[in-house]
Amino acid sequence: MTDYSPLWSPIRIGATELDNRVALAPMTRISATEDGHATERMASYYRNFARGGFGLLITEGIYPDTAHSQGYHFQPGIATEEQARSWANVVDGVHAAGSKIFAQLMHAGAQSQGNRYVTSSVGPSAVAPKGEQLGFYRGEGPYPVPSAITLSQMKEVRDGFVTAALHAQQAGFDGVEIHGANGYLLDQFLTDYLNQRDDRYGGSPENRVRLAAEICHDVREAVGPDMTVGIRISQSKVSDAEHKWSGGVAEAEVIFGTLGATGIDFVHTTEYRAAEPAFADAEETLAALAKRYSGVPVIANGKLDDPETAVSMLADGSADVVALGKGALANRNWPHLVRNNLEFGELDPAVFAPLADVKDWELEDG
């Protein structure tokens, strides 16, 4: 019989003490008010995962500024003090239920599908993301070609992340996760075919990771040692599920080594299957590579809803925490079920239809 005890051992990540190693992965739910305020429905949604035994919750992507960062209509923001205050109720409910919560700060860049502040988008270069926008996030049609972001706009992006992190601190969040994954702005800089710049932010992996590293450093400095800071990294994207880093392990070494040197407390990797090798010519998972080269604790995400697979990531040392997405939507009390050897429920596809928002049936206590 599998020993699941590694899932339940406490861990400290930065300034945050977690009671166990099971986290809720960030998932876009587009259930805020039109002006980006968190709602009581959202507070109940997150509170249920805390009651279900998840040691850490990471929020859906929250937009950090009132320029180009918003990615979806009805996405929550934390760009203004009013938006930040709306999150306090969410945070308080999670804390009262015994869990910790990090705010994920997300700049959509060229992958924006809806922004109430501007009608244009920016990216590292004037190259549109692949694929089509997602209907269940209120998107429609191909992604438009973005404007190539200027150096002054990049400084505004950096400042926006800092302001958002300070707002998250004021709202009571235990930490922040900088979104550098899934095809959003910082991942666009990491991606060779989307980043065609010829300045110090383009070309080599050292240059392409530069903006993400600068933001990690800025946020780390701004919030001080009492707040946990990390970054999420992936190869695949909302708009390109098949993408892999062309430089393989050598590129992973540069990316994770550079990010780990910024003073952050963790790296959160997400793959389609976290337990599979990151590259065809290498045996290690992306989480294991992040662990080796960053030197900081690693959260792993990607098809880890089977507890045996989840615990294997911890047991072999490739990750320190496992994060569940769809597995958590199907079973908001996944940790409780595993601890007590109870059966899982199946994921109801209606959770993504017609919109991927918070559904009323998700709010029932239990």
Side-chain angles (χ1 to χ4, degrees):
M1 186 172 178
T2 304
D3 176 15
Y4 296 131
S5 61
L7 292 169
W8 319 126
S9 61
I11 185 173
R12 181 184 178 95
I13 299 181
T16 305
E17 299 275 1
L18 302 181
D19 290 340
N20 63 50
R21 309 290 184 103
V22 187
L24 173 72
M27 288 179 286
T28 301
R29 305 315 295 156
I30 55 169
S31 294
T33 65
E34 190 171 7
D35 56 2
H37 291 191
T39 65
E40 175 55 40
R41 173 180 283 193
M42 291 166 60
S44 181
Y45 167 78
Y46 283 110
R47 192 164 57 240
N48 277 339
F49 291 108
R51 289 174 175 164
F54 288 84
L56 171 66
L57 314 184
I58 306 173
T59 70
E60 62 213 280
I62 308 171
Y63 64 83
D65 64 47
T66 56
H68 290 94
S69 66
Q70 186 176 356
Y72 306 96
H73 289 301
F74 295 91
Q75 178 188 6
I78 200 162
T80 69
E81 291 189 0
E82 292 79 14
Q83 289 173 338
R85 281 195 291 271
S86 74
W87 279 104
N89 185 43
V90 177
V91 173
D92 290 347
V94 168
H95 285 164
S99 297
K100 303 297 171 61
I101 183 168
F102 294 169
Q104 190 192 64
L105 307 179
M106 173 194 133
H107 192 303
Q111 208 168 249
S112 178
Q113 299 188 172
N115 187 321
R116 62 186 292 261
Y117 303 101
V118 296
T119 56
S120 58
S121 62
V122 294
S125 304
V127 180
K130 295 179 178 180
E132 299 270 322
Q133 298 180 44
L134 301 176
F136 58 63
Y137 291 150
R138 297 189 175 90
E140 186 178 3
Y143 292 94
V145 176
S147 299
I149 193 169
T150 65
L151 292 176
S152 63
Q153 287 175 318
M154 289 165 65
K155 178 63 167 65
E156 291 170 1
V157 168
R158 289 173 62 176
D159 292 344
F161 272 96
V162 167
T163 299
L166 292 171
H167 283 163
Q169 195 169 39
Q170 293 162 13
F173 281 101
D174 302 287
V176 291
E177 177 177 281
I178 295 157
H179 203 342
N182 303 119
Y184 299 109
L185 181 67
L186 301 187
D187 182 51
Q188 290 158 31
F189 271 86
L190 282 178
T191 302
D192 47 15
Y193 69 82
L194 292 174
N195 182 348
Q196 300 180 2
R197 301 176 73 91
D198 57 8
D199 61 8
R200 62 198 297 264
Y201 293 94
S204 68
E206 289 87 352
N207 284 351
R208 287 184 276 113
V209 76
R210 191 182 305 277
L211 180 60
E214 288 174 343
I215 290 170
C216 286
H217 180 270
D218 291 348
V219 170
R220 169 78 285 159
E221 290 286 301
V223 300
D226 294 334
M227 191 178 204
T228 301
V229 177
I231 187 167
R232 193 181 212 216
I233 295 291
S234 72
Q235 298 188 87
S236 66
K237 319 178 186 311
V238 171
S239 54
D240 182 0
E242 304 302 319
H243 179 69
K244 298 283 187 181
W245 295 337
S246 59
V249 172
E251 189 163 342
E253 180 177 2
V254 171
I255 290 170
F256 293 128
T258 302
L259 295 172
T262 63
I264 57 172
D265 301 302
F266 70 92
V267 172
H268 180 180
T269 60
T270 178
E271 293 270 85
Y272 177 65
R273 293 189 185 277
E276 293 185 355
F279 306 105
D281 59 350
E283 293 183 0
E284 288 180 288
T285 65
L286 194 67
L289 293 168
K291 180 100 171 143
R292 185 204 297 179
Y293 294 122
S294 73
V296 298
V298 169
I299 301 172
N301 167 247
K303 290 285 195 296
L304 296 177
D305 45 305
D306 171 52
E308 291 193 15
T309 308
V311 81
S312 73
M313 298 288 292
L314 304 179
D316 68 13
S318 59
D320 300 279
V321 174
V322 294
L324 308 183
K326 290 180 180 177
L329 281 179
N331 296 280
R332 292 161 295 154
N333 57 346
W334 189 95
H336 172 76
L337 296 177
V338 176
R339 274 183 186 267
N340 294 281
N341 197 30
L342 301 174
E343 290 191 13
F344 294 140
E346 293 294 317
L347 178 62
D348 184 346
V351 72
F352 299 112
L355 295 172
D357 54 359
V358 174
K359 303 296 193 293
D360 287 334
W361 60 264
E362 293 178 336
L363 306 183
E364 298 168 6
D365 290 337

